[in-house]
Amino acid sequence: MSVILSINDRIIILSNNIDGRWIAAMNNFSLSNCRGELVNKQNLKHFVGEKLAEAFNSTIECLSQTEHKPTYDKLPFHHLIFNTTYKCNLSCKYCYFSADSSGSSLNEDLIEYSIRKCLDFLDDNSELTVLFQGGEALLEYDSIRNALEKLGKQPKIHYQMQTNGTLINEDAMNLFEKYNMHVSFSLDSHMENHNDLRSKNPDIFLQKIFDACKMFQERNLDYGIISVVCKNNINDLRFMFQEFIKRGIHTFAYNLLWPIGRAKNEGLDELVVPVGQLVDTMLNVYKDIYKFNIDQGHTPFEKYHERNLFMLWRRLFYRKLTNYMCMNTPCGAGINTLTVDTDGQVFPCALMLPPLEKGFQIGKIYTDSISSLLQKDSLVKHRNLDQISQCSTCTYKAACAGGGCGIAFYHSKKDINSISIYCDYYYEMLSAMIEHAMLQMGVRVLKNFEG
């Protein structure tokens, strides 16, 4: 295969964009910028000059031979998601479900049956992650608690919950503690008025979230924060990290705004952060977290990390290409992950549930075997980066894998192979992460492979 060359004002990078190997050099030669150029031994000199091309000859030969790397879609079935309810006690303006106070909910029997069916399907060496989300999952606290009590201790299961956090009380905390459940809840900013996309009463919302943080700290339980990044809170992100440290939060996620669902209806595409500002801010967040871990005696991102940057870091520098479903193409939706709706209908992914578009169901949990559900065709399985011109020759195709959730971008443009609205952000961010590593190490050349 051809090797991919990209040059910016700071670095020169050659990559095999299938297996994720790359070599980078500081651009101390005032070379002209280029992006995603196919190169070989013969034509590289036209971009970098004969002397530098000669130095890269052996590397070109090495990178042109693709190594086999496992991909996320080859992992066995391991993830069951429950849409517990379409109801929510809030009405977040960017909710892709457009959840409100009405809608259906599942019952405890459906939860118990689905989990038992999935456990029966697993082989002896596999484990199952079970995620409860919604709507607001804690509106169905009784159903979840009763189902888990019937199931009893299940050493193969890792329970998780996504909640807006406002309904967390001592009963909920007892549930989380009993089942060692990892809980993520919502907070867009430590500033009251910057949570107004989540709540009509941001002051009350913020206090409830901080009260929940205190309950988790007192019990020393695992929890994390999910923030939606937009123009309203982009300038708060670095300060929020300091706030998280004070409140004992080690893991958090700055998820980029997807203008779909209610966000599209509300015209929130105007709140998508411009690329330059997004890169500058997220790079500073990256550097802050990196430095804080080092200063505390940890390796980079060992204890404190923002999920998306951490996963990018692992993919870029260590070629861990099977982590985090939503950062892969093809992803695991309908392959090793299934979503059960409130009525027992099964979908590949929560972003394929009816509020966004009808017709994506692949079967019913009560009547279809897990094996047959995983073999069903679905739209998300047809996303192909080689069919997206900007992705096919991108230096970072392996690490970036398409710039986020493909089905989210489908909902924006009704094309499963549409380009990510954050394409340029990922390209610039990954380049900046490599430059940062080179500066930290004091080297002019860096590569992520042996040989």
Side-chain angles (χ1 to χ4, degrees):
M1 65 159 284
S2 294
V3 175
I4 309 297
L5 169 70
S6 291
I7 303 172
N8 64 26
D9 292 339
R10 303 175 303 279
I11 63 170
I12 306 158
I13 182 165
L14 290 162
S15 78
N16 179 312
N17 72 353
I18 297 175
D19 63 26
R21 289 177 300 146
W22 50 260
I23 184 169
M26 286 295 188
N27 184 6
N28 299 326
F29 311 96
S30 301
L31 299 176
S32 298
N33 289 7
C34 66
R35 178 170 170 177
E37 294 286 349
L38 300 174
V39 295
N40 52 42
K41 287 184 177 181
Q42 288 68 45
N43 71 353
L44 181 60
K45 63 185 178 183
H46 299 308
F47 297 94
V48 302
E50 290 192 9
K51 187 174 181 179
L52 197 54
E54 185 177 347
F56 277 130
N57 262 348
S58 60
T59 302
I60 287 271
E61 186 172 342
C62 180
L63 288 175
S64 64
Q65 304 299 314
T66 299
E67 293 182 357
H68 172 73
K69 290 291 289 183
T71 53
Y72 194 92
D73 60 306
K74 303 303 181 185
L75 296 177
F77 173 69
H78 65 277
H79 203 170
L80 176 64
I81 301 172
F82 286 106
N83 175 34
T84 57
T85 181
Y86 284 99
K87 299 177 193 174
C88 188
N89 60 317
L90 299 181
S91 186
C92 300
K93 291 185 178 180
Y94 43 60
C95 176
Y96 58 83
F97 267 11
S98 301
D100 54 28
S101 59
S102 62
S104 59
S105 303
L106 49 62
N107 58 52
E108 62 193 72
D109 294 334
L110 177 58
I111 298 173
E112 181 191 6
Y113 178 87
S114 302
I115 292 176
R116 289 194 187 279
K117 190 166 189 172
C118 290
L119 285 173
D120 289 342
F121 177 77
L122 295 181
D123 62 40
D124 292 339
N125 298 317
S126 295
E127 296 181 336
L128 181 68
T129 296
V130 175
L131 170 63
F132 299 101
Q133 60 179 47
E136 171 46 47
L138 281 177
L139 288 173
E140 299 308 315
Y141 163 80
D142 289 337
S143 294
I144 296 171
R145 180 201 59 197
N146 294 342
L148 299 194
E149 286 182 356
K150 291 178 183 178
L151 285 160
K153 188 175 181 180
Q154 296 289 346
K156 283 191 169 188
I157 296 181
H158 303 280
Y159 291 112
Q160 299 179 348
M161 180 180 290
Q162 289 182 2
T163 166
N164 62 41
T166 60
L167 301 180
I168 293 175
N169 55 25
E170 290 301 326
D171 287 339
M173 293 300 301
N174 291 337
L175 177 75
F176 303 152
E177 185 168 17
K178 182 175 181 178
Y179 295 101
N180 194 28
M181 189 178 295
H182 176 78
V183 180
S184 297
F185 48 91
S186 308
L187 180 68
D188 285 347
S189 176
H190 63 300
M191 304 288 289
E192 289 181 4
N193 60 335
H194 292 177
N195 287 285
D196 56 355
L197 294 179
R198 285 205 181 271
S199 174
K200 296 177 182 177
N201 299 294
D203 53 338
I204 298 174
F205 170 81
L206 186 61
Q207 188 56 54
K208 286 183 176 180
I209 297 303
F210 284 161
D211 289 345
C213 290
K214 184 178 180 181
M215 285 190 275
F216 276 88
Q217 281 183 287
E218 289 173 348
R219 298 197 187 205
N220 195 29
L221 295 183
D222 186 28
Y223 76 113
I225 294 292
I226 297 175
S227 307
V228 176
V229 176
C230 65
K231 288 180 180 178
N232 288 15
N233 67 345
I234 185 67
N235 293 323
D236 301 340
L237 301 187
R238 296 183 70 185
F239 300 102
M240 286 168 63
F241 173 50
Q242 300 303 319
E243 191 71 32
F244 294 157
I245 292 169
K246 288 193 297 184
R247 298 182 182 277
I249 300 168
H250 300 159
T251 303
F252 55 100
Y254 288 159
N255 291 343
L256 305 181
L257 173 67
W258 296 337
I260 60 175
R262 184 181 286 141
K264 184 175 183 178
N265 297 334
E266 293 274 351
L268 297 192
D269 53 317
E270 297 178 353
L271 293 183
V272 172
V273 182
V275 171
Q277 185 181 14
L278 187 59
V279 172
D280 288 346
T281 302
M282 294 304 290
L283 181 59
N284 280 324
V285 170
Y286 177 86
K287 291 177 179 178
D288 290 346
I289 299 171
Y290 185 102
K291 184 177 186 301
F292 187 79
N293 275 281
I294 298 296
D295 290 346
Q296 295 297 309
H298 306 297
T299 57
F301 310 107
E302 177 185 357
K303 185 171 183 179
Y304 298 89
H305 59 260
E306 190 280 327
R307 181 182 64 191
N308 300 293
L309 294 177
F310 176 58
M311 294 301 179
L312 275 181
W313 175 76
R314 282 169 55 86
R315 296 173 71 88
L316 180 64
F317 292 105
Y318 299 97
R319 295 195 293 146
K320 302 292 186 182
L321 305 181
T322 59
N323 58 12
Y324 191 27
M325 170 180 165
C326 298
M327 202 173 278
N328 285 276
T329 300
C331 67
I335 300 173
N336 45 47
T337 300
L338 295 173
T339 299
V340 177
D341 201 5
T342 57
D343 60 357
Q345 294 271 8
V346 180
F347 294 78
C349 167
L351 280 176
M352 300 178 79
L353 288 164
L356 282 163
E357 184 174 324
K358 295 180 180 179
F360 289 133
Q361 67 273 14
I362 55 176
K364 298 180 180 179
I365 195 67
Y366 285 118
T367 58
D368 293 282
S369 68
I370 300 300
S371 178
S372 67
L373 289 168
L374 296 174
Q375 292 172 24
K376 295 286 182 69
D377 191 23
S378 64
L379 179 68
V380 68
K381 294 181 180 181
H382 293 274
R383 183 166 171 82
N384 183 347
L385 299 186
D386 290 331
Q387 300 298 315
I388 306 171
S389 59
Q390 294 90 335
C391 294
S392 63
T393 59
C394 179
T395 298
Y396 303 116
K397 183 174 75 170
C400 171
C405 174
I407 202 68
F409 306 131
Y410 163 80
H411 287 305
S412 295
K413 300 180 181 178
K414 299 305 176 187
D415 177 5
I416 193 59
N417 286 321
S418 62
I419 187 172
S420 166
I421 63 173
Y422 293 107
C423 172
D424 290 337
Y425 159 72
Y426 280 103
Y427 177 82
E428 296 294 341
M429 189 68 196
L430 288 161
S431 298
M433 288 165 68
I434 291 174
E435 182 192 11
H436 173 261
M438 296 172 76
L439 292 172
Q440 289 293 307
M441 298 171 68
V443 298
R444 295 177 59 186
V445 178
L446 181 66
K447 60 183 181 179
N448 70 343
F449 63 97
E450 299 292 332

